[in-house]
């Protein structure tokens, strides 16, 4: 599998990206990578003795989308930026996937511009896994779309279902719609129309109905569907809350424990690591005809390596999504709504 | 101050409510309470020797809105339910405020039906406080409105400002709009129009701009404004996450600590208690001409007592909101938008 890696994206420049790529190439002999970015900045980080150099090629560009830059403006003013160049390579068929730890908005903008969607999909969605006492669930969309329609949310449910089966190993996953209450009449117009769509669809047996914010970490359903505006805020809120709580817990333990403070610190640090983004590597942008992994801006080499490692599995996920879409489109009711 | 207390609301029936009311009356001699609900169920919980009984009266009704009941249906089918009766008492001028740990949707529905808003306010908002390393912020709306307009969110900012000044003691509070990125061009249509409104208004100097989910627990701004759909999901998500993380941290400490497990458990329990809803008591429904405190369904006596204790302060908050609205309405631009 050949992947385009945005070597300039991320908060820490090319170093952790290149280091993660080398590690991934060492692990998987079938993998080859195009490092996209400023070759002069990338090359110093390549260990010349690495045995995997023959599976690395370069695509040189000096333009970079800054982490806080407007994706729309960047697209107009920096069409040659590394993030967009990765999408060009996918569109041209040079690679099968795109990996970036850069500006998420720019990655999504590149995807939308490329218009390489799986059959029947009109909007892609970013999916993340969330832990619960009973395992992991998948939450989507966490930020690819801000003004989605009910048919888009329905497709997110379908894609999440495949994700839960293939990536989380769940035989018969359930889908929930993130809402402000469990009754059907709850929520904004988008939520109400989406519930109707699920209830009329071939996925009705897997559709659990509404779930509330507190159900996310309770494992009430395997797939949690929401609009990107809500999902993005929820995701970042959780990130901020983990940092806040772990810091507060650490201080509390420091004040309370006597001889076992170091053990207490280790316990919290172990917990923090277990749910850290680098463990998962990246969040896939689902719905693309090709693989796209969006990594956290603060990704270290391990996160990049894990994202590359996961890419292959998403080839299978994409194939299954296409099949499921085909199957579901046989339901004329849903198709009518989806094409409305 | 005379308050109507929904004695039947809450997950645990009248017991904690009545117990909290007795405690509040003992603390504050200026307080009197109308207990609204089934007198036969309430009276057994009243300690006949309590010295405060002369400041308690009853308003008997047997109808109750269930916690999972549709507020709209309840309003049609149970107009005499305790929650709605509280609002009737406020509308009639018999009480100055309403306290309920019942179905939040029904409390808000009662408020909307009563149409007792402060001058210039067209939608009320539920406000909650959130902790950060630098103190407390106020987040609103967390669920009173699901399809608000930009002018409503603007008014939430104004009300939050008064809350931060009066209740959190902040001299010059800042306002942020909860969004999916910090640049102005980010977000859905509602967010973009709301930013424009703030930037054109007399509050522009206090308006920080967009804040992200992770900023909620970082104390980046004092007032965080959002639509009720998002705020409700964020609030409940945080609740679920605290439970999940505290449980996971407890287990991790149990495995790691040796002789000081009990101390570790105490530290976490202290932390959990510090941010527990019963400490704050209730969340005010702001924008009402009258005081309304919405308590958590799982409220214990302490939460109810604290909610009653806070009610008096919200009389002042309401007066200040009215003054600030008057001041702000002088800005013709905002007024034009608000009445559009």
């Amino acid at each position: 599998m050949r992947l385009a890696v945005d070597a300039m994206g991320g908060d820490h420049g090319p170093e952790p990206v290149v280091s993660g790529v080398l590690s991934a190439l060492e692990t998987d002999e079938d993998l080859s990578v195009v490092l996209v970015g400023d070759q002069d900045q990338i090359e110093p980080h390549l260990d010349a003795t690495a045995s995997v150099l023959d599976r690395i090629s370069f695509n040189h560009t000096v333009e970079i989308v800054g982490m806080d830059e407007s994706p729309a403006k960047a697209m107009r003013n920096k069409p040659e930026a590394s993030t967009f160049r990765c999408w060009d390579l996918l569109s041209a068929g040079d690679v099968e996937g795109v990996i970036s730890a850069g500006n998420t908005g720019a990655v999504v903008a590149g995807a939308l511009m490329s218009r390489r969607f799986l059959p029947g999909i009109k909007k892609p969605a970013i999916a993340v896994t969330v832990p619960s006492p009973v395992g992991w669930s998948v939450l989507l969309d966490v930020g690819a779309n801000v003004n989605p329609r009910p048919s888009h949310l329905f497709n997110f449910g379908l894609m999440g279902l495949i994700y839960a089966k293939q990536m989380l190993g769940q035989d018969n996953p359930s889908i929930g719609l993130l809402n402000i209450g469990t009754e059907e009449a709850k929520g904004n117009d988008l939520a109400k129309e989406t519930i109707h769509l699920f209830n009329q669809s071939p996925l009705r047996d897997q559709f659990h109905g509404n779930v509330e914010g507190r159900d996310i970490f309770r494992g009430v359903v395997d797939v949690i569907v929401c609009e990107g505006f809500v999902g993005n805020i929820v995701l970042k809120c959780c990130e901020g809350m983990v940092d806040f709580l772990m810091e507060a817990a650490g201080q509390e333990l420091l004040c309370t424990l006597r001889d076992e403070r170091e053990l207490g610190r280790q316990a919290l640090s172990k917990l923090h690591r277990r749910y850290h983004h680098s463990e998962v590597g990246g969040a896939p942008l689902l719905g693309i005809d090709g693989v796209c992994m969006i990594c956290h801006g603060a990704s270290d080499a391990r996160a990049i390596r894990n994202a590359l490692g996961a890419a292959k599995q998403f080839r299978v996920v994409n194939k299954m999504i296409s099949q499921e879409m085909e199957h579901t489109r046989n339901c004329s009711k849903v198709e009518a709504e989806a094409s409305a």
Side-chain angles (χ1 to χ4, degrees), chain A residues 126-188:
Chain A
I126 305 173
V128 294
T129 48
V130 287
S132 80
V134 294
W136 293 86
S137 308
V138 55
L139 172 70
L140 75 171
D141 168 40
V142 297
N145 302 282
V146 289
N147 286 314
R149 289 189 299 195
S151 60
H152 303 145
L153 293 194
F154 174 80
N155 286 344
F156 297 169
L158 184 147
M159 296 195 293
L161 209 66
I162 304 296
Y163 185 109
K165 279 183 191 170
Q166 189 63 20
M167 303 299 288
L168 307 177
Q170 282 147 4
D171 289 337
N172 187 23
S174 55
I175 305 172
L177 180 70
L178 192 56
N179 204 332
I180 60 170
T182 50
E183 328 148 35
E184 289 218 349
K186 283 278 182 184
N188 54 18

Side-chain angles (χ1 to χ4, degrees), chain A residues 18-35:
Chain A
V18 174
S19 172
V21 163
L22 289 176
S23 171
L25 289 169
E26 279 159 17
T27 314
D28 182 356
E29 289 192 355
D30 292 331
L31 196 65
S32 65
V33 163
V34 183
L35 287 172

Side-chain angles (χ1 to χ4, degrees), chain A residues 71-72 75 83-84 87-88 90-91 98 104-117 121-126 141 143-147 152 156 285-289 292 294:
Chain A
M75 195 160 254
T83 308
F84 304 134
W87 285 106
D88 293 340
L90 186 75
S91 293
V98 169
T104 299
V107 179
V108 174
L112 294 174
M113 184 65 100
S114 81
R115 300 201 59 75
R116 281 178 62 95
F117 300 135
I121 303 286
K122 288 178 183 168
K123 293 276 182 190
I126 305 173
D141 168 40
N145 302 282
V146 289
N147 286 314
H152 303 145
F156 297 169
L285 182 67
L286 296 177
I288 302 293
D289 183 11
C292 174
I294 298 176

